[in-house]
Amino acid sequence: FKHANDKARACFAASISDLLDNLDQRKQQEWWNVWLKDYWENRLQGVPRKLDPAEINTMLNWVIYLHDVFPEAVDMAVRMDLVQSMDPVESMDPVQSKYQQVCTRYQQVCMIPKIDDPELIDLYPNKLAEFLLHLGKSSMEFFFYIEDLSIFDKLLEKSLPENLEKELQELKTRINARKKLAWS
């Protein structure tokens, strides 16, 4: 892994996302305890190399799949520097394999799938709010794509600490403004 390039590390992270999505919670917990938590901690420490933006984008997806360790995964995710911009032209290479092209597109979308999972909202409203607020710090246009902003309303119905509630309402307002601006 020390000699892998940025795209290979990002594709590896994307593969982990896909695998986590298809594992049951028992297996996810096992992965977390056996190697994934240590791997993530090492990556945060720059071992074997500093995290690059595409790898960060893909690793952020892991949080949503790790239900049983969601609070710990959020704590890891909020330690990651957020991507402030990516040049889609720079990362496109006409001689890439189809797999590499898919990975490149995946890195640029920056979607967090299943972020509005009702189980996460009910079990971990504070941690989910913390994760959303961290993602909202990115200056990337629609860093995380939420078609339906009801996740904010659902979280705001929970008994969140006052500071989280205020910051979440502000983030919702900013996202709404971006969406209106984009569609006007």
Side-chain angles (χ1 to χ4, degrees):
F1 212 67
K2 183 187 276 187
H3 303 291
N5 65 24
D6 293 348
K7 289 178 185 174
R9 286 192 305 279
C11 284
F12 176 77
S15 297
I16 297 301
S17 289
D18 292 340
L19 291 168
L20 286 172
D21 187 28
N22 293 307
L23 291 177
D24 62 38
Q25 288 185 348
R26 184 185 62 77
K27 276 291 192 195
Q28 289 176 6
Q29 178 79 42
E30 184 180 317
W31 276 31
W32 184 258
N33 292 333
V34 172
W35 73 274
L36 190 59
K37 180 180 180 181
D38 291 336
Y39 173 80
W40 200 339
E41 184 63 46
N42 284 336
R43 297 304 296 122
L44 287 169
Q45 299 300 319
V47 176
R49 299 170 89 172
K50 185 177 184 279
L51 285 164
D52 70 272
E55 189 177 7
I56 290 168
N57 284 351
T58 54
M59 288 175 73
L60 287 170
N61 289 298
W62 297 359
V63 175
I64 300 304
Y65 301 123
L66 295 166
H67 282 222
D68 287 351
V69 294
F70 186 76
E72 286 181 86
V74 169
D75 289 343
M76 297 284 244
V78 299
R79 292 172 48 204
M80 299 173 88
D81 293 330
L82 289 174
V83 177
Q84 297 303 324
S85 66
M86 283 182 76
D87 182 0
V89 175
E90 177 185 302
S91 59
M92 296 307 268
D93 181 351
V95 295
Q96 286 180 330
S97 71
K98 284 232 184 257
Y99 180 73
Q100 290 169 320
Q101 290 172 12
V102 167
C103 287
T104 300
R105 284 193 297 275
Y106 186 83
Q107 295 157 16
Q108 293 166 1
V109 173
C110 308
M111 281 179 63
I112 307 294
K114 302 181 183 180
I115 200 163
D116 58 351
D117 184 324
E119 185 177 323
L120 294 177
I121 293 168
D122 289 339
L123 292 176
Y124 310 110
N126 292 358
K127 282 297 181 181
L128 183 55
E130 188 179 326
F131 185 53
L132 284 170
L133 291 169
H134 181 66
L135 295 175
K137 292 176 186 173
S138 172
S139 65
M140 276 183 76
E141 186 92 15
F142 302 120
F143 182 84
F144 55 101
Y145 177 78
I146 300 176
E147 180 67 36
D148 179 3
L149 294 178
S150 67
I151 184 176
F152 289 94
D153 298 327
K154 291 172 187 171
L155 283 170
L156 290 166
E157 289 172 1
K158 304 291 180 184
S159 297
L160 297 174
E162 190 176 324
N163 64 320
L164 274 182
E165 188 174 316
K166 181 181 178 208
E167 290 178 56
L168 205 58
Q169 187 61 52
E170 290 171 358
L171 178 58
K172 179 185 174 187
T173 302
R174 281 197 320 270
I175 291 171
N176 264 328
R178 281 185 188 173
K179 286 176 101 170
K180 287 178 183 173
L181 190 61
W183 293 109
S184 60

